[in-house]
Amino acid sequence: MAHATVVKAPNRLPVLGNALALAKGRLNYLETLAPLGDIVEIGVGGQPYYLINNPDLLHQVLTADSDKFDKGRFFEHVKLFLGNGLMTCAKAEHRRQRRMIQPAFSQAALRQYAAIVAEGAEQQVGRYAEGQVLELYPELQRLTMVLMSKTIFSGDDFDEVSVSLADLLPEFLKGILRQTLMPADFLNKLPLPANIRFQRARTTIRGAVGAAVTRHLDTGQNSTDLMSQLIAARDEHGAGLSHELLVDQVVTFLMAGSETSASTMSWFLYAMINAPELEQEIAEELAEVLQGRPPTVADLPRLGKLNRALMETLRLYCPVWFQTRRTITPVTLGGVEFPVGRNFLYSFAAMHRDPAAFPDPLEFRPDRWLRPTHPRNVFIPFGSGARKCIGDNFSMLSNALVLASFLQRWTFSREGGQEVKAFAGAVLHPQGLRLRLSSRQAAYAVAGQPRRPGPVR
Ligand code: HEM
């Protein structure tokens, strides 16, 4: 693009800048800034952050000029938990790790993981009872953590441990956000209750994963699981991943894979409540394709309605609602020069709701994916460039399989009159969404009940 405009966000306060508005409004605040210009300068604690709203400029940051950026301050804090794994390692180390780990996500490997997920999903979803009420997001956090654990350590009893780890994860993610937003780093080291809880969660999670990695190394490998692929990974000199790096990767996959998937599936089911006719159509598609048997990866290409609804969920309720980058060499973006050390912010979620790209952006309309008309670079729920999500295809397969199992067996209604809110924490997820399950057979008999709640922003 030729020339970008840099506009200052309005209502900047002395010292605080726009930090309060950002902390309070989060995604909604970023959405209000999106129409102001290609790049909007936000003041955060005396420092400028540049919000990139133009998809082509963002594409330049993530692909052509990706060598000129690191991931920024937020990821320095994430690193305290994830260590030096694929998501948080420095640029210089990233290429080596990505090359080593990419084969673990080959098509052949994904088919094997999908079989593990499909079986696990059937078990988990089959455990629910008629009339059971689910607090949906925490429930799916546990479920996705168990499935991610089975994919990594099949044959181990780690999935039992993973349920307790799932309960620690929210404390942990809150801790990371809190530590990042602290005005001074020494505050994070004080023996405050919140810091102690955070450290405890960190130690427990890493300890449990470390023990499971050691067991896997000691007892030999099950070649179909992700851990075996990670153990077999070699760089160009024939070196493998150290024990510590194996732990870093596993903790990364557990966190990156479970939170995002729990968010996606919660929103998907929320959207079904909003559109009972659509839920019915997807259930009919499942009945026709599966003929009552459990879903497998081979069925997915024939589940067009389910897949389109999944794409629409990733558009309207994009889990990764913000990301950061920081310049490590001077960069020119749209004719504007930025020196070393400048912080950038961008929101896929805000871009996915741009009315110029997606007409009636707040409407959940899966059929827009029959013939997509949006410009390129606008729909990127998994990011792009060298640091694009390595789990993108796996997550599409596994989420479709879990949702197919869920919808094949259960229909659901809202429980309680609580308002459902979109909470922009580490990922964008629904709060206050409680569902009562009924078996799908029984549901046919009571079809037509009003189940439509108000829209969520
Ligand atoms: C709906 C599900 C998911 C979404 C929306 C999602 C989104 C993303 C995004 C946007 C990034 C890019 C971050 C950046 O540019 O800084 C990313 C990176 C990453 N994701 Fe995912 N993700 C999902 C599922 C998964 C799963 C299931 C796994 C693991 C199996 C995973 C593992 C990773 C890893 C390791 C990275 C870092 C890649 C690198 O830097 O090379 N993600 N993800």
Side-chain angles (χ1 to χ4, degrees), residues 25-53:
R26 300 192 184 197
L27 175 57
N28 289 346
Y29 180 63
L30 297 185
E31 280 185 279
T32 62
L33 299 182
L36 300 187
D38 297 323
I39 304 175
V40 176
E41 186 186 311
I42 308 172
V44 182
Q47 282 201 40
Y49 270 72
Y50 296 94
L51 172 69
I52 305 176
N53 293 317

Side-chain angles (χ1 to χ4, degrees), residues 268-269 271-286 305 406-407 410-413 438 440 443-444 451:
F268 183 105
L269 294 176
M272 295 300 105
I273 297 174
N274 269 325
E277 333 65 51
L278 183 60
E279 180 200 332
Q280 183 64 27
E281 283 176 25
I282 294 177
E284 281 166 13
E285 179 182 74
L286 286 167
K305 286 182 194 295
F406 207 107
L407 288 169
W410 300 109
T411 184
F412 31 84
S413 51
S438 322
R440 188 153 288 283
Y444 287 127
R451 289 188 293 158

